[in-house]
Amino acid sequence: MQNFDFQNPTRIVFGEGTIAQLSTLVPPAAQVLVLYGGGSVTRNGTLDQVRAALAEGGTRTVHEFAGIEPNPSFETLMRAVAEVRERRIDFLLAVGGGSVIDGTKFVAAAALLPPEEDAWTILQTHGRSITRALPLGTVLTLPATGSEMNSGGVITRRATHDKLGFMSPHTFPRFSVLDPTRTYTLPLRQVANGIVDAYVHIMEQYLTYPADAMVQDRLAEGLLRTLVDIGPRALSEPQNYAIRANFMWTATLALNGLIGAGVPQDWATHMIGHELTALHGIDHGRPLAVVLPALLQVRRDAKRLKLLQYAERVWDLREGSEEERIDAAIARTRAFFESLEVPTHLSAYQLDASAIDPLVAQLEKHGMTRLGERRDITPAISRSILEAAL
Ligand code: NZQ
Ligand code: ZN
């Protein structure tokens, strides 16, 4: 096992009816800004629950900022930053999915920069320039990203098609409220995206090379098997509380740092996927389902030992030669995504070989030239992965 330093300070308040606890979770005299997206939380009653809870147990002043879009934009978030400064907000509450939570983390850090400083620096330094941030909490409505219990965010600059991430110990949520009933109104497409996103988060931290991390491996395999078990029912039984609760907690554990501590990590699927989202506007989870099976195929020698372990422990594949077991494990992975109606080929998005040059150029522009757990995925190998994904 590799050395590691793991701290996750986010308090999780989980279960039906827990939004009411905002009355004690949010400081009683805070100047609060509630941030949300395009209106789903208004339509499904979540925002009303939030407003009612914030009105209890204190003398808070509550303002709202609506309109954080999927793949949150720098441009919109800078308007929120202006509002935070103008109203002297001292606590941020994100109500929504990964985009709203990521955006709120960015606002928390950007609002405390000197006004003359360019907030895009936060992305250019991947968060290293962040020295402080406003406190924030979240109410999660979409299990997928793990943003509710990690310190990361991904922000898009629309004008230049730049989609970049940041991480900072200052941008962990203080708390996150996870009420599985708040996911009942999700469109099935978003549920499927969320299952794929969580699955690929686990794979990015698990399917690398053996590092004698027995606990992390078993945890990762348990989470993967849980997603395989509950994925179809999360789609077919949208109001099944037990299924949604397990899905929600799995997605959180997939990317809260626990399974990634002390192990090598890949993340090439995500970096290539972000370019597909930035150039072609495909929702975050979906390009991952295209890239991962192709990446496993192209990297099968470098990942051989873990692919065999994955085949046996996640898919119960014990028969046949090593090559046959690896082929079968990749095929099962692809079939699982397809069973959720998430396509696994670029052709499903009307993209052909002519799309590859611009994607590789974007990776180079963003410095993504040494990807993967061994930092040996060059632009030429990213190109092979994209070709295998056609
Ligand atoms: O905007 P509203 O109206 O709220 O609608 C949203 C949005 O259209 C809707 N939605 C959310 N909860 C709902 C609901 N609709 C009905 N009922 C509900 N309960 O779902 C749509 C998608 O929401 P979004 O937040 O964009 O999805 P997701 O949670 O998948 O977040 C994606 C973003 O997170 C980033 C991605 O790059 C992308 O920008 N990621 C963040 C990570 C992190 N912080 O660690 C890691 C991930 O790998 C990922 O990169
Ligand atoms: Zn993701």
Side-chain angles (χ1 to χ4, degrees):
M1 197 184 304
Q2 299 175 350
N3 292 2
F4 66 86
D5 179 339
F6 173 63
Q7 181 177 29
N8 190 315
T10 302
R11 174 176 175 184
I12 298 292
V13 180
F14 192 100
E16 182 165 11
T18 46
I19 290 178
Q21 294 184 38
L22 289 173
S23 63
T24 52
L25 290 165
V26 176
Q31 301 278 335
V32 186
L33 186 65
V34 177
L35 300 98
Y36 57 97
S40 69
V41 297
T42 317
R43 290 189 292 278
N44 68 14
T46 304
L47 195 61
D48 283 342
Q49 292 187 8
V50 168
R51 288 175 180 145
L54 291 177
E56 296 288 320
T59 55
R60 305 174 186 98
T61 310
V62 180
H63 299 280
E64 294 180 6
F65 184 90
I68 298 182
E69 52 290 80
N71 307 306
S73 79
F74 177 73
E75 293 84 352
T76 300
L77 298 171
M78 289 311 291
R79 288 196 287 108
V81 168
E83 191 156 335
V84 167
R85 287 176 174 152
E86 189 184 320
R87 297 188 184 281
R88 299 182 184 283
I89 298 294
D90 57 23
F91 195 93
L92 304 180
L93 184 65
V95 184
S99 293
V100 172
I101 299 174
D102 285 9
T104 300
K105 292 174 181 174
F106 174 81
V107 171
L112 295 188
L113 290 175
E116 66 280 6
E117 203 164 306
D118 179 6
W120 189 248
T121 314
I122 291 173
L123 284 313
Q124 285 167 327
T125 62
H126 306 293
R128 282 188 296 274
S129 64
I130 298 174
T131 56
R132 57 196 188 125
L134 285 173
L136 68 111
T138 91
V139 175
L140 180 68
T141 64
L142 198 177
T145 63
S147 188
E148 65 279 8
M149 199 178 179
N150 69 39
S151 67
V154 187
I155 308 298
T156 300
R157 200 158 190 163
R158 292 277 186 268
T160 51
H161 296 292
D162 291 323
K163 181 168 185 180
L164 297 176
F166 68 92
M167 286 173 86
S168 164
H170 302 284
T171 50
F172 275 103
R174 297 287 166 101
F175 64 80
S176 285
V177 175
L178 277 56
D179 177 344
T181 68
R182 297 296 91 210
T183 73
Y184 289 173
T185 56
L186 277 168
L188 294 185
R189 177 189 173 98
Q190 295 300 341
V191 177
N193 290 351
I195 295 165
V196 171
D197 194 20
Y199 197 94
V200 178
H201 291 160
I202 303 161
M203 293 289 272
E204 300 274 25
Q205 301 163 86
Y206 165 74
L207 219 144
T208 56
Y209 54 83
D212 295 320
M214 297 176 223
V215 177
Q216 293 90 324
D217 279 4
R218 291 290 187 188
L219 285 170
E221 289 152 0
L223 294 172
L224 290 169
R225 289 192 74 123
T226 304
L227 287 174
V228 172
D229 286 348
I230 66 178
R233 292 178 69 191
L235 294 175
S236 63
E237 302 169 35
Q239 308 223 350
N240 182 326
Y241 181 83
I243 296 287
R244 287 294 169 98
N246 281 287
F247 171 33
M248 205 169 206
W249 189 222
T250 302
T252 301
L253 291 170
L255 195 52
N256 73 348
L258 182 65
I259 63 168
V263 298
Q265 300 192 16
D266 183 339
W267 296 105
T269 298
H270 266 72
M271 295 309 126
I272 299 171
H274 285 335
E275 302 303 356
L276 276 156
T277 298
L279 285 189
H280 301 287
I282 311 169
D283 305 347
H284 172 64
R286 302 176 90 77
L288 306 177
V290 170
V291 177
L292 181 72
L295 178 138
L296 295 178
Q297 183 60 33
V298 170
R299 303 296 287 167
R300 61 189 288 147
D301 289 331
K303 291 181 180 288
R304 168 170 300 269
L305 292 173
K306 272 317 229 344
L307 273 168
L308 290 167
Q309 183 178 324
Y310 170 66
E312 179 178 337
R313 295 195 192 169
V314 177
W315 294 108
D316 298 319
L317 295 163
R318 297 187 180 83
E319 308 290 323
S321 68
E322 289 193 353
E323 299 309 325
E324 284 167 347
R325 278 177 276 150
I326 291 173
D327 282 340
I330 297 173
R332 291 287 188 93
T333 308
R334 189 185 288 284
F336 175 57
F337 296 157
E338 296 274 358
S339 77
L340 305 171
E341 295 191 19
V342 182
T344 59
H345 292 281
L346 286 171
S347 55
Y349 301 99
Q350 287 73 51
L351 296 175
D352 59 21
S354 67
I356 294 179
D357 273 348
L359 289 165
V360 174
Q362 284 275 104
L363 286 167
E364 287 175 335
K365 172 183 169 192
H366 295 142
M368 301 296 167
T369 53
R370 285 153 45 92
L371 297 173
E373 62 270 18
R374 295 186 198 273
R375 305 287 162 255
D376 59 354
I377 300 189
T378 58
I381 297 176
S382 292
R383 175 183 299 282
S384 306
I385 292 168
L386 287 163
E387 284 167 357
L390 287 169

